[in-house]
Amino acid sequence: EAQVTQNPRYLITVTGKKLTVTCSQNMNHEYMSWYRQDPGLGLRQIYYSMNVEVTDKGDVPEGYKVSRKEKRNFPLILESPSPNQTSLYFCASRPSGTLGGDEQFFGPGTRLTVL
Amino acid sequence: AQSVTQLDSHVSVSEGTPVLLRCNYSSSYSPSLFWYVQHPNKGLQLLLKYTSAATLVKGINGFEAEFKKSETSFHLTKPSAHMSDAAEYFCVVSLQDGYGGSQGNLIFGKGTKLSVKP
């Protein structure tokens, strides 16, 4: 089944304890992206990657890191989490180019709480 | 600059009555537009998309949206609401690069929560 998977789905942690949220897709998509969703703000892009070893900042990159060493994986790293990073996180992917109308496929989400 | 505005943060309808969720966009180029739905504690599901073909776009679950360039709108409608339609809906525009292509980045509206009363 074509899908985007995220792990963990739920995480409660404490301020300053490094964590990684993994994202993996099995559709051979070039483009991958991370979003955070906060009430009343919709989804905002954190980082995106156009292909392996190519990453760029989105609208809210502060406090986050990413890497793209393999095409299928795009982990999100919080080196020193803070309470304002408590949020619902979504990973997404899409094929490159304009065919298909730019639709992105979303993972199930990771709910992160930083105490 | 490209942006999207959802005009209502909350819409409440009775079951069996029409649904209208309003969305306006701003884009320097011909946009790709989407509606996504998020049911409580679920991920995002694509309802429908507009990519410069037919201006009236039909999606899943009886939803449709009409692209109106003159009004820069892409409102979502459904003739008859069902209880299962209760969810949050996001209007989304895809950033264009000015050369007829797409960077792939999406800009989300802030969402409209749809409540359906029995």
Side-chain angles (χ1 to χ4, degrees):
Chain A
E1 179 190 355
Q3 59 182 348
V4 178
T5 56
Q6 295 179 225
N7 282 293
R9 294 289 314 280
Y10 302 90
L11 179 60
I12 300 175
T13 189
V14 296
T15 299
K17 186 177 181 182
K18 181 179 178 179
L19 66 91
T20 299
V21 183
T22 64
C23 173
S24 183
Q25 50 92 5
N26 62 2
M27 296 170 279
N28 202 35
H29 287 168
E30 287 78 14
Y31 177 97
M32 297 185 74
S33 181
W34 275 104
Y35 300 86
R36 61 177 288 173
Q37 182 182 13
D38 302 290
L41 297 178
L43 276 75
R44 294 176 293 167
Q45 190 177 49
I46 303 171
Y47 269 94
Y48 66 98
S49 170
M50 300 293 284
N51 214 324
V52 176
E53 301 290 2
V54 180
T55 62
D56 211 341
K57 296 177 181 178
D59 297 318
V60 287
E62 294 78 19
Y64 304 95
K65 284 175 57 178
V66 292
S67 70
R68 188 88 183 274
K69 293 182 169 34
E70 305 166 282
K71 198 172 189 180
R72 63 182 294 126
N73 296 322
F74 190 45
L76 180 69
I77 303 157
L78 284 72
E79 295 266 0
S80 182
S82 62
N84 64 14
Q85 293 178 298
T86 292
S87 188
L88 179 58
Y89 292 85
F90 287 100
C91 181
S93 73
R94 55 152 281 196
S96 63
T98 58
L99 294 177
D102 310 301
E103 175 188 351
Q104 292 191 16
F105 298 84
F106 285 83
T110 295
R111 187 167 293 281
L112 171 66
T113 302
V114 183
L115 302 175
Chain B
Q2 293 165 92
S3 65
V4 61
T5 302
Q6 292 183 244
L7 299 168
D8 306 291
S9 60
H10 207 136
V11 170
S12 182
V13 301
S14 297
E15 191 173 21
T17 64
V19 175
L20 170 63
L21 305 183
R22 298 182 295 166
C23 173
N24 286 112
Y25 70 91
S26 171
S27 177
S28 303
Y29 313 108
S30 183
S32 291
L33 292 159
F34 309 82
W35 277 97
Y36 280 86
V37 61
Q38 184 180 31
H39 287 93
N41 300 311
K42 299 287 186 183
L44 289 146
Q45 181 184 19
L46 180 70
L47 267 182
L48 50 80
K49 61 185 179 186
Y50 166 77
T51 55
S52 75
T55 56
L56 182 62
V57 182
K58 294 189 185 299
I60 61 171
N61 301 333
F63 284 94
E64 60 182 40
E66 186 171 7
F67 174 73
K68 291 187 176 180
K69 187 175 182 179
S70 60
E71 299 177 9
T72 61
S73 69
F74 190 56
H75 301 334
L76 182 70
T77 60
K78 183 173 181 178
S80 175
H82 192 272
M83 295 296 291
S84 61
D85 294 328
E88 189 160 21
Y89 293 79
F90 294 96
C91 183
V92 183
V93 64
S94 177
L95 288 178
Q96 305 299 308
D97 63 11
Y99 299 98
S102 171
Q103 299 174 348
N105 293 346
L106 301 180
I107 296 179
F108 281 76
K110 294 185 178 181
T112 299
K113 282 192 178 163
L114 176 65
S115 301
V116 182
K117 298 175 289 187

